[in-house]
Each structure stands twice: as structure tokens, then as C-alpha cells.
Amino acid sequence: MLQRTLLPLLFLTLLCTSVRAQSSVEEFRLGGTARILDDECIRLTPDVQFASGSAWYEKAIDLNEPFEITVCLVLGKNDEDGADGIGFIFHPTMRTGYRGEGMGFAGLVPSLGIEFDTYQNYHLGDPAEDHVAININGRTHHASSITGPTPVGNLEDGSKHLLWINWDPIEKQLSVMLDGKERAKLSANIVAELFGGNSTVFWGVTAATGRKTNFQDICIKKLTFAEAKVQPKVDFGGKR
């Protein structure tokens, strides 16, 4: 399956700044400092201290069906003085967990979080390098990570970094590719083992800064998934 998707992914990498989005930024509910930049990009945080922003897709998706998320991430251009990173969250309600080092999924149960971390928190077991990890149930220490942390090259270079997240419900595999390379892979029945048999979840993306800062953006390229037939009541007021 990886071989079948590699060529299209490399093609998208070459055209990361020009591929037309297939979903609108208007389809996201924004929280905190998040603001729309243009017809495909959302700035989650400006380059200021102690900012946090979130963007949740307005419709719940069905994890019994495949999904594919293709976006570009911009994690700012402050390297040594940059923080904190971007997290992708899957949760039964549209609710953001603790920000900052919590990457927006800390404290959420049940949840699945994919982090693109640009700041080393020693007490969380972070490596010195920018890194990718998959965490569950709001646990942010890497001793509890089910995949990673995997060090990657410097993400705080002001450039767009192509991200591709794919879920195959038949093979029960979640794949995360960044800049054309597989950075994380999870083989698990996440519907049964993580979400208690509930296949209806929301997904969103969050970012935060602390004493160190960066502007952090997400640019939507292609979203392919099945919306849940029964949409749950939206809870968007529970920001932490």
C-alpha cells in the first residue's frame, strides 16, 4: 500500500505551495488565537508568548471508513528560541485538551494525538531534536507514547512541510508521513481498543507557544473521509 501512495505523495511534495485545497478553511471551527490567513491556510498561533489556537473540522468522521489528510505545516522560523509545535487530535467530542507542552490533547480520554514537537521538555522525555510521536488518552510523557518519539530534521525553518496522515480500517493501520518519509506507524484496532467501539470522532489541530515562540500554520491540501451518518452534539466550549 505504501508503494501505491508514494508517487502521488512525492508529486504533492513538489507542489506543496500550489496544490488546490479540496476542503475550505471555512469548514473549521477556530478557537483561541487561530485565524484564517487565506483560502487554504490557518494561522494557529502568532509569534508571541503564551498563545494557543485550535481548528476543528466541523463534522465528525467515521473511523470504520478510511481517511486521508494531506496538509502542509509551517512551524515558524525561530529555531533555538522556538516552541512548542502542532498536535493532531482525534476525540469523540470537539474538545481541546491542555495547551503548551500538552499539545492540545493532554487530559483527553479517550483520545489519539499525533504531535509534531519543536521544543524539548526534559520532564516529558523529549529528545533534543524536533520530533514526531503518537500518544493516547491524553498522556504526553514519551514513556507512554505508543509510537516514537522519532527525531526529524529542523521543522522551524519557515518552510511548508508536507504531512500525510492515512487510516486504513481494513488493515487497521495508521500511517504518518512528513516531507515524503514515514515518521510514525500504528497497527491497532483504534475503534475497539481506544474508542470503546465508537467509530464517530472529531479531528482537529492545535498549537501553542510559551516563553519561546513561533508562528504556526496549517494549510489544507486534501481531505478524504466519510462523515459520520449521525452527527453528535458539538461541544466547543471546553477549552482548557
Side-chain angles (χ1 to χ4, degrees):
M1 182 167 183
L2 180 59
Q3 291 179 341
R4 294 202 301 269
T5 58
L6 185 57
L7 289 178
L9 184 62
L10 293 176
F11 177 73
L12 281 173
T13 302
L14 295 174
L15 299 179
C16 197
T17 59
S18 61
V19 174
R20 183 172 179 79
Q22 294 190 7
S23 292
S24 169
V25 292
E26 301 290 344
E27 296 174 302
F28 289 79
R29 291 176 178 257
L30 306 185
T33 59
R35 299 291 183 270
I36 293 174
L37 288 181
D38 52 39
D39 62 356
E40 66 175 30
C41 295
I42 296 170
R43 175 148 293 171
L44 297 166
T45 66
D47 188 4
V48 299
Q49 290 184 327
F50 302 107
S52 61
S54 60
W56 285 89
Y57 190 75
E58 63 182 359
K59 299 291 186 181
I61 66 174
D62 184 358
L63 290 179
N64 285 327
E65 303 294 335
F67 73 70
E68 180 180 330
I69 298 172
T70 306
V71 300
C72 287
L73 304 180
V74 183
L75 291 114
K77 55 185 178 181
N78 300 327
D79 188 7
E80 294 298 325
D81 294 322
D84 272 276
I86 290 178
F88 280 74
I89 310 163
F90 298 84
H91 187 56
T93 65
M94 194 181 292
R95 191 176 185 89
T96 302
Y98 297 108
R99 313 295 184 109
E101 66 185 35
M103 302 296 290
F105 56 82
L108 294 182
V109 181
S111 68
L112 185 146
I114 305 171
E115 67 169 42
F116 301 85
D117 197 334
T118 60
Y119 183 74
Q120 184 179 24
N121 290 291
Y122 295 96
H123 61 287
L124 296 180
D126 287 349
E129 304 90 347
D130 297 345
H131 55 277
V132 178
I134 300 178
N135 298 337
I136 61 171
N137 292 333
R139 299 192 293 264
T140 56
H141 195 288
H142 287 306
S144 301
S145 295
I146 56 175
T147 299
T150 301
V152 296
N154 178 32
L155 300 177
E156 300 162 292
D157 57 3
S159 300
K160 288 185 175 181
H161 295 270
L162 181 70
L163 169 65
W164 182 75
I165 301 174
N166 182 75
W167 166 245
D168 183 338
I170 297 176
E171 298 295 331
K172 305 293 190 293
Q173 287 192 346
L174 179 71
S175 300
V176 179
M177 298 188 73
L178 183 68
D179 292 333
K181 295 181 180 180
E182 187 172 78
R183 309 294 186 170
K185 188 172 185 177
L186 173 63
S187 297
N189 186 345
I190 60 177
V191 172
E193 298 171 17
L194 180 56
F195 293 111
N198 176 27
S199 65
T200 299
V201 298
F202 289 93
W203 73 273
V205 58
T206 184
T209 67
R211 289 180 296 102
K212 296 189 175 184
T213 66
N214 257 321
F215 66 87
Q216 297 169 110
D217 306 340
I218 178 174
C219 297
I220 310 300
K221 296 300 177 183
K222 181 182 178 182
L223 305 177
T224 304
F225 47 77
E227 292 183 359
K229 293 180 180 179
V230 177
Q231 290 291 316
K233 183 179 179 180
V234 174
D235 173 12
F236 194 59
K239 293 177 289 186
R240 301 188 178 191

